[in-house]
Amino acid sequence: MRQNTLDELRDQLDDLDLQLIDLVNQREILLQKNKDLRPERADKVLERMNLHSKGALSKETLIGLFKLLDQIGPAGKPAKLPELLVSRKNKPENTVVTVAGKEIGGGQPQLVAGPCAVESAEQVDAAAGAVKARGLHFLRGGAFKPRTSPYDFQGLGEEGLRLLKQAGNRHGLAVISEIVDPRDLEMAAGYLDVIQIGARNMQNFELLKEAGRTKKPILLKRGLAATIDEFIHAAEYIMVHGNDQIILCERGIRTYEKATRNTLDITAVPLLKQETHLPVMVDVTHSTGRKDLLVPAAKAALAIGADGVMAEVHPNPKQALSDASQQMNFTEFEHFVNELEKSGLYKHNKVMV
Ligand code: PEP
Ligand code: MN
């Protein structure tokens, strides 16, 4: 490139930089006029990015830039960090996620139950029947199973989602299943009412970003060794990319203790509810890994303020292709729901069968 052309480009850039400095200063002066303006910027910036950004920079970069701008106070001093979108400081009222007309986080705790994995049409249909008979509204069932060993059953994939949806439709239940690959989210949205992001993928940032771009509610599980702060920031990834329908799920963390599969961090529930405005559930199956602890763990979860409980139930747990020892059979499931009802912590809708 000829020297004078380069110089011209440099001049143009210098000129734009000066304009930017002026604009940024004008913006800061306005913000300083009223301290209440600053915290409300995040939502507005996000809204505008979604509507107006057609430029060379990605939306994420632009949002990052604006976040940075809002952190710089007078004379370049860092001001208070802007609150996260998921933070209760940003939005004091609870987020209620409504799925097929049923509320999660609306004050009435919900139970989510179903097999660890969808194995066949008959198996998932039988589980759905048992779940419906006990008055639940939500059926779970894995189709993409993140297994420790590549030689273990990996799930039926899209066919599993189809069978789950079919069982949900037949029994009038909303369906939840885990998706592990960002490329599958669009396909999965055609089958599912809630998309689960599992513990192993809590920090799969590309999956979180893509989940933010879907319209489906997301059930986000806490990572195997994730701190509360990391968990909250994972939810922020989804929200900053456009999806505010998020349910957090505590599912136990890895500790030195071997008596349970994981260690249920029960105080995570009130902590997450204080720190964020999102509904919080507890998965008692994967946190305890023990059928004898499901009832007390579920009672503890509800007593401490959880908006729901997830548990696994299978028509024939001994034959299950995954998590055979920790899934309830139908009798155990019946007992589980009865005990929660007796405690007064959970009320189910009676269904005539
Ligand atoms: C599941 O719910 O099927 C599951 C695999 O749970 P987690 O991601 O919590 O281990
Ligand atoms: Mn399982």
Side-chain angles (χ1 to χ4, degrees):
M1 197 175 278
R2 289 205 331 272
Q3 190 56 37
N4 54 354
T5 322
L6 257 182
D7 286 344
E8 271 167 37
L9 285 176
R10 281 197 189 101
D11 287 347
Q12 280 178 31
L13 275 173
D14 286 348
D15 198 43
L16 282 173
D17 286 349
L18 287 177
Q19 287 182 45
L20 272 175
I21 290 169
D22 275 350
L23 285 172
V24 166
N25 272 320
Q26 282 174 35
R27 185 179 187 275
E28 182 60 31
I29 289 164
L30 277 183
L31 281 174
Q32 283 177 30
K33 282 200 175 136
N34 186 331
K35 65 173 173 40
D36 296 332
L37 282 172
R38 203 181 293 276
E40 71 184 32
R41 300 311 302 159
D43 277 349
K44 296 243 166 62
V45 167
L46 188 65
E47 214 178 275
R48 289 216 188 89
M49 286 310 142
N50 283 329
L51 287 174
H52 294 292
S53 176
K54 301 181 187 69
L57 290 175
S58 73
K59 267 187 242 168
E60 292 76 49
T61 309
L62 284 170
I63 290 168
L65 265 174
F66 275 93
K67 282 201 149 199
L68 211 62
L69 282 177
D70 284 344
Q71 285 169 35
I72 309 297
K77 283 204 203 85
K80 223 169 124 301
L81 283 177
E83 300 301 343
L84 296 179
L85 298 174
V86 297
S87 167
R88 199 175 274 287
K89 293 196 190 100
N90 213 16
K91 176 175 178 266
E93 64 280 7
N94 289 331
T95 288
V96 178
V97 178
T98 305
V99 183
K102 305 290 177 240
E103 291 183 344
I104 299 180
Q108 177 81 31
Q110 299 287 355
L111 297 186
V112 176
C116 182
V118 175
E119 297 167 4
S120 67
E122 297 70 34
Q123 173 251 13
V124 70
D125 192 70
V131 166
K132 184 66 180 187
R134 291 309 282 117
L136 276 63
H137 304 300
F138 297 93
L139 175 69
R140 61 148 286 145
F144 295 90
K145 296 304 299 175
R147 306 303 301 280
T148 302
S149 165
Y151 304 111
D152 287 339
F153 176 57
Q154 303 286 306
L156 298 178
E158 185 171 349
E159 175 62 4
L161 297 183
R162 196 184 65 75
L163 296 176
L164 183 71
K165 181 179 159 75
Q166 184 176 287
N169 283 347
R170 237 165 74 78
H171 296 273
L173 295 162
V175 291
I176 304 181
S177 196
E178 176 171 354
I179 296 302
V180 295
D181 187 326
R183 292 167 297 185
D184 286 338
L185 279 174
E186 213 178 296
M187 171 279 287
Y191 296 102
L192 299 175
D193 298 295
V194 178
I195 289 168
Q196 179 170 317
I197 295 188
R200 286 150 198 82
N201 276 312
M202 189 207 80
Q203 283 190 317
N204 179 338
F205 298 114
E206 294 313 311
L207 184 61
L208 297 175
K209 288 180 196 172
E210 206 49 41
R213 294 180 192 116
T214 73
K215 298 274 173 288
K216 290 284 167 179
I218 305 293
L219 187 140
L220 176 66
K221 290 190 145 196
R222 182 176 182 179
L224 305 179
T227 63
I228 296 284
D229 189 59
E230 287 164 341
F231 192 14
I232 289 175
H233 277 86
E236 183 75 4
Y237 261 90
I238 300 172
M239 200 168 285
V240 80
H241 285 84
N243 189 350
D244 61 1
Q245 300 293 288
I246 306 167
I247 304 153
L248 301 175
C249 184
E250 160 64 33
R251 46 78 72 208
I253 46 174
R254 184 167 288 184
T255 69
Y256 54 81
E257 183 52 69
K258 293 279 171 282
T260 48
R261 178 168 169 177
N262 289 289
T263 298
L264 174 56
D265 179 9
I266 198 75
T267 51
V269 177
L271 253 174
L272 291 166
K273 290 196 67 79
Q274 276 168 39
E275 294 294 319
T276 80
H277 49 79
L278 301 173
V280 180
M281 296 192 59
V282 171
D283 175 343
V284 289
T285 297
H286 294 97
S287 51
T288 65
R290 288 176 56 147
K291 290 203 276 191
D292 57 338
L293 297 179
L294 296 180
V295 170
K299 283 187 191 169
L302 295 174
I304 208 164
D307 298 293
V309 167
M310 177 185 277
E312 287 181 350
V313 55
H314 188 288
N316 187 358
K318 286 200 187 83
Q319 302 294 316
L321 299 178
S322 58
D323 285 351
S325 66
Q326 68 189 40
Q327 301 198 59
M328 290 181 273
N329 62 30
F330 291 168
T331 314
E332 289 160 339
F333 177 61
E334 181 82 16
H335 172 75
F336 175 76
V337 183
N338 284 346
E339 286 300 307
L340 295 187
E341 277 179 334
K342 270 201 269 168
S343 74
L345 294 161
Y346 171 74
K347 217 169 70 213
H348 92 281
N349 292 342
K350 289 259 181 291
V351 175
M352 306 313 269
V353 278

